[in-house]
Amino acid sequence: MNQNQFLLDSGFWGWLYKILTPVEWLMTQIMKVVHDFLVMLGMNPVGVSWVLSIIVLVLVVHACILPIFYKQMLSMRKMQALQPKMQKIQNKYKGKTDQASKEALSREMMKLYQDNDANPAGSCLPMLIQGPVFMCMFYVLSAIPYIARGKRATLGAFDVETAKQFSESKVLGLVNTTSTFGNGDLTAKAIIVVFVALMCGCMFFMQWLNMNKNMNPATMQGQAATMQKTMLWIFPVMYIFSGITMPFAVLVYWLTNNVCNLLRTFWQLRVFPTPGSPAADAKEVRDHEKENARRAKAGQLSLEDEALEKAKVEAQQKETQGYQRQQPQRKNKNKNKKK
């Protein structure tokens, strides 16, 4: 909000972003390389080329994070598969508060994780990486206008001239990359409102999908359900108040990031749905149909026909051998002794 002092360089945030300077430097280099490449293709150096460089930067970051996200999903599925065994171990030591029992519980849980190659902290790792990365993207895009006005030192590939070129860029000649709702004209205000609405819509839809498609209905009761419904509305509303204060370049980053997160949510629902969720039921139906299609192409029996044939064979065996269970044969102890 202060046009003469970049507040993210002061206090706790200044210390934190100082540590993240190498990441910020790399991001400015990627944006500059993409921009120069687009200019080489014939695009105007002042204009949409800089907006496209922001979009490409977000896509590059998401591409780098996707393998980590994939490992997170695998780790979460392993932990979910181990839940019954974990519950059994916890029930074994339930109510025991002595030190020996606590150590035994910890030992057995660690052995369970090691035997199944599971990591309880595996699902947290992507957030620990993704959070600082996107913080740096927000920092870089927010700092550029201050660099252009000479209110902040240069950052990576953005010297004063490059920052001025970026700050003078307009999208289709309508809205400047540094425009905010407060200082933009009527057209800029309208475009910013549209971008904020799209950001909120993406966030709302993504959370709605997770809540209604990727959660076990048994867990969506009581306090957990209330919290999820509250978050469904709180985060999009927060975007409204924060979005109208940010430069348009930051809104481009946010909207692109939200669209990428929404697409990743669709992928997660299709490939790694939560067990017991509606998405998992839908995946089971898809997998069933896919297997039947594969069998039909290979000239094999469908899953239903195979189950029917198996039932017929079992019925015939019962008719031939009778329904009485065959008694186990006892060993002749005297015979074994003579031998």
Side-chain angles (χ1 to χ4, degrees), residues 278-296:
D281 296 338
K283 183 178 185 301
E284 187 176 346
V285 172
R286 287 196 307 272
D287 291 344
H288 186 91
E289 293 174 349
K290 184 178 179 181
E291 176 62 17
N292 276 343
R294 185 195 67 79
R295 290 177 175 227

Side-chain angles (χ1 to χ4, degrees), residues 2-272:
N2 190 330
Q3 298 299 312
N4 295 317
Q5 182 183 4
F6 189 46
L7 298 179
L8 289 180
D9 279 340
S10 59
F12 169 77
W13 296 111
W15 171 80
L16 179 61
Y17 282 117
K18 194 71 174 177
I19 296 176
L20 297 174
T21 298
V23 181
E24 298 156 10
W25 180 90
L26 179 61
M27 287 181 172
T28 63
Q29 298 297 333
I30 293 173
M31 288 179 62
K32 187 67 166 58
V33 168
V34 173
H35 172 263
D36 292 345
F37 176 74
L38 293 174
V39 171
M40 185 181 67
L41 294 179
M43 294 189 70
N44 193 324
V46 180
V48 181
S49 54
W50 278 116
V51 176
L52 291 177
S53 71
I54 297 172
I55 295 174
V56 172
L57 175 60
V58 178
L59 295 178
V60 169
V61 171
H62 272 273
C64 294
I65 290 176
L66 186 59
I68 303 172
F69 181 76
Y70 179 76
K71 290 183 179 181
Q72 175 194 15
M73 292 296 100
L74 293 178
S75 179
M76 287 177 63
R77 292 300 167 264
K78 285 183 180 180
M79 293 300 297
Q80 288 170 347
L82 291 177
Q83 282 298 325
K85 294 182 179 180
M86 292 168 60
Q87 189 69 36
K88 186 176 179 180
I89 295 174
Q90 290 169 352
N91 290 336
K92 180 180 176 181
Y93 296 97
K94 188 176 181 180
K96 298 180 180 180
T97 57
D98 59 285
Q99 187 63 28
S101 297
K102 291 180 180 179
E103 292 177 358
L105 172 63
S106 177
R107 219 170 23 247
E108 291 191 30
M109 292 292 282
M110 289 301 298
K111 187 176 186 305
L112 180 65
Y113 297 146
Q114 292 172 358
D115 292 344
N116 293 274
D117 192 26
N119 183 5
S123 59
C124 302
L125 181 60
M127 287 301 299
L128 294 176
I129 297 175
Q130 183 174 336
V133 168
F134 286 111
M135 284 173 60
C136 289
M137 293 178 68
F138 173 77
Y139 177 87
V140 168
L141 295 175
S142 299
I144 292 174
Y146 290 86
I147 297 173
R149 294 195 299 269
K151 302 298 181 180
R152 190 201 182 281
T154 59
L155 177 61
F158 280 87
D159 53 21
V160 175
E161 292 302 318
T162 305
K164 283 182 178 180
Q165 189 184 68
F166 179 93
S167 300
E168 293 170 359
S169 296
K170 286 190 175 183
V171 180
L172 303 178
L174 299 174
V175 56
N176 197 284
T177 53
T178 58
S179 295
T180 64
F181 187 83
N183 63 23
D185 57 21
L186 187 60
T187 303
K189 282 181 169 65
I191 294 175
I192 288 172
V193 167
V194 171
F195 266 68
V196 172
L198 291 173
M199 286 161 47
C200 293
C202 284
M203 172 63 76
F204 181 88
F205 188 42
M206 182 178 66
Q207 293 188 161
W208 183 89
L209 284 173
N210 280 321
M211 188 174 71
N212 291 276
K213 301 293 184 181
N214 201 34
M215 287 192 175
N216 192 322
T219 63
M220 287 299 295
Q221 297 177 3
Q223 187 176 358
T226 303
M227 184 177 297
Q228 287 296 328
K229 291 177 181 178
T230 303
M231 291 174 61
L232 182 65
W233 293 100
I234 286 180
F235 284 107
V237 171
M238 288 173 59
Y239 268 12
I240 296 175
F241 293 101
S242 56
I244 60 176
T245 65
M246 301 300 172
F248 181 71
V250 177
L251 300 185
V252 172
Y253 141 66
W254 255 353
L255 180 57
T256 308
N257 182 49
N258 283 6
V259 170
C260 289
N261 285 334
L262 180 59
L263 293 175
R264 193 172 66 182
T265 299
F266 279 117
W267 176 73
Q268 180 184 352
L269 291 175
R270 188 169 182 85
V271 180
F272 291 109

Side-chain angles (χ1 to χ4, degrees), residues 284-312:
E284 187 176 346
V285 172
R286 287 196 307 272
D287 291 344
H288 186 91
E289 293 174 349
K290 184 178 179 181
E291 176 62 17
N292 276 343
R294 185 195 67 79
R295 290 177 175 227
K297 188 175 181 180
Q300 301 173 345
L301 292 175
S302 66
L303 292 170
E304 292 80 5
D305 291 339
E306 183 181 19
L308 183 60
E309 288 295 324
K310 185 177 180 181
K312 287 180 180 180

